[in-house]
Amino acid sequence: MPGRPRATGVFAYGAAAGLAVDLLLGDPRRGHPVAAFGRAAAAVERRLHHDHRGWGALHTAVCAGSTAALGALAARTVRDRPAAAVALTAASVWAVVGGTTLGREARAIGGALAAGDLEVARERLPHLCGRDPQSLDGPAMARAVVESVAENTSDAVVGALFWGAVAGVPGLVGFRAVNTLDAMVGHRSPRYRRFGWASARLDDLAGWPGARLTAALATVAGGNPRGAVRAWRADASKHPSPNAGPVEASFAGALGVRLGGTLSYGGRVEHRPVLNGEGRAVEVADIERAVALSRRVTALTLAACAGGRLIAGAVKRGKRRSA
């Protein structure tokens, strides 16, 4: 069976190459595949939207299912050509992860805050999260950035790599499709309370393993493992999101800061529980620390997912030989 041993390393080589391209270039500036998916999903929504969970479930199935199916078709086309399969995996990883752009946006806001330019920081904040920037002062924006870096490390990097390791290219693109649908229709607005229910629940399900892996790796990679574990265990369940809770709590404990509290989305004020109440208030310098922690978590995720895929392949080959 020539080529089989090399094929088991497709994900490892492809993921490493894709992350390297992301590190060098960041997100594609034009023609981003995720933006193209968003436009297609919006077009499907215009045809299917009804204030009903069933229609929302159909929208989710059509958009996420077709994306995963296209990924499976592409992967099947190159499955007997390891070099092409590595290239496809690398391109898919580059398209779906966003770690470098996440860090750039966070640092840009941090730089504006450090310079005392709150207006520039407010202009850039919507690039990173959906909060109302006009309602935030400098410390509140710094906290919002750290929380967004934590949550997006899970959503934009770790979750995608996890599902890529499990299911290859279909897992990579399917996960990002689900995550994007949740951002588009999964929020609790009058228009999407029912229609977006399926996307929100599927995103919770798909994001569950990546969020726990992110929290565990933040505990390992951060400077305060005990604090990260303590905050994770004590406070994660208090967060309204089952996946953001473990991630933000572990980041808070690892960085020694307090996260959570009062925030505003779309004119709606929320009072969220404080995560790691023993920590200090977030400072501007903590933005750089959060970005550095995110990068370490990304590196550990690549090692864990690529290593797991290689070990699974070795075990499968061993079973074939023994059979």
Side-chain angles (χ1 to χ4, degrees), residues 8-321:
T8 60
V10 162
F11 176 77
Y13 294 130
L19 287 177
V21 175
D22 178 64
L23 185 62
L24 290 172
L25 303 178
D27 287 345
R29 294 186 181 275
R30 293 183 180 179
H32 197 302
V34 175
F37 169 81
R39 290 191 294 270
V44 174
E45 180 194 340
R46 286 193 292 272
R47 292 182 173 274
L48 296 182
H49 184 274
H50 293 74
D51 188 22
H52 190 277
R53 286 185 176 184
W55 284 96
L58 178 61
H59 174 258
T60 301
V62 168
C63 296
S66 61
T67 302
L70 286 173
L73 179 62
R76 184 179 181 85
T77 301
V78 299
R79 66 178 179 178
D80 295 325
R81 293 176 287 157
V86 168
L88 176 64
T89 301
S92 300
V93 168
W94 181 38
V96 304
V97 303
T100 295
T101 299
L102 171 66
R104 287 176 182 170
E105 292 295 338
R107 285 172 169 149
I109 298 169
L113 291 174
D117 197 336
L118 297 187
E119 288 309 309
V120 170
R122 289 189 178 110
E123 287 176 6
R124 298 199 69 101
L125 189 64
H127 297 200
L128 196 63
C129 64
R131 302 193 190 175
D132 297 331
Q134 299 305 321
S135 68
L136 303 178
D137 59 11
M141 278 192 279
R143 173 167 63 84
V145 171
V146 171
E147 290 172 353
S148 295
V149 168
E151 186 173 359
N152 282 297
T153 299
S154 176
D155 288 343
V157 181
V158 179
L161 291 177
F162 172 85
W163 284 109
V166 170
V169 170
L172 286 165
V173 299
F175 174 81
R176 190 59 192 268
V178 169
N179 191 244
T180 303
L181 286 174
D182 178 60
M184 294 177 67
V185 305
H187 41 88
R188 293 179 177 273
S189 67
R191 177 177 175 84
Y192 295 125
R193 184 170 287 111
R194 294 184 181 86
F195 184 80
W197 178 87
S199 291
R201 297 290 78 77
L202 183 58
D203 183 66
D204 287 343
L205 182 63
W208 196 94
R212 274 74 192 166
L213 179 59
T214 304
L217 295 180
T219 299
V220 173
N224 185 358
R226 287 186 179 181
V229 171
R230 182 177 61 249
W232 183 1
R233 294 180 63 182
D235 299 330
S237 61
K238 301 175 184 176
H239 197 287
S241 167
N243 294 331
V247 173
E248 291 185 19
S250 62
F251 263 68
L255 297 171
V257 300
R258 292 193 306 274
L259 299 179
T262 302
L263 49 85
S264 176
Y265 283 104
R268 185 182 74 255
V269 176
E270 293 185 16
H271 301 283
R272 292 185 177 177
V274 172
L275 307 177
N276 192 38
E278 299 179 7
R280 56 175 173 77
V282 175
E283 300 172 356
V284 174
D286 293 316
I287 292 175
E288 179 61 37
R289 296 178 61 225
V291 172
L293 177 57
S294 175
R295 289 202 166 188
R296 293 195 294 274
V297 168
T298 297
L300 289 174
T301 302
L302 174 62
C305 292
R309 187 69 180 255
L310 289 170
I311 290 171
V315 169
K316 189 178 293 186
R317 290 196 305 273
K319 287 181 177 179
R320 286 200 194 100
R321 292 192 187 102

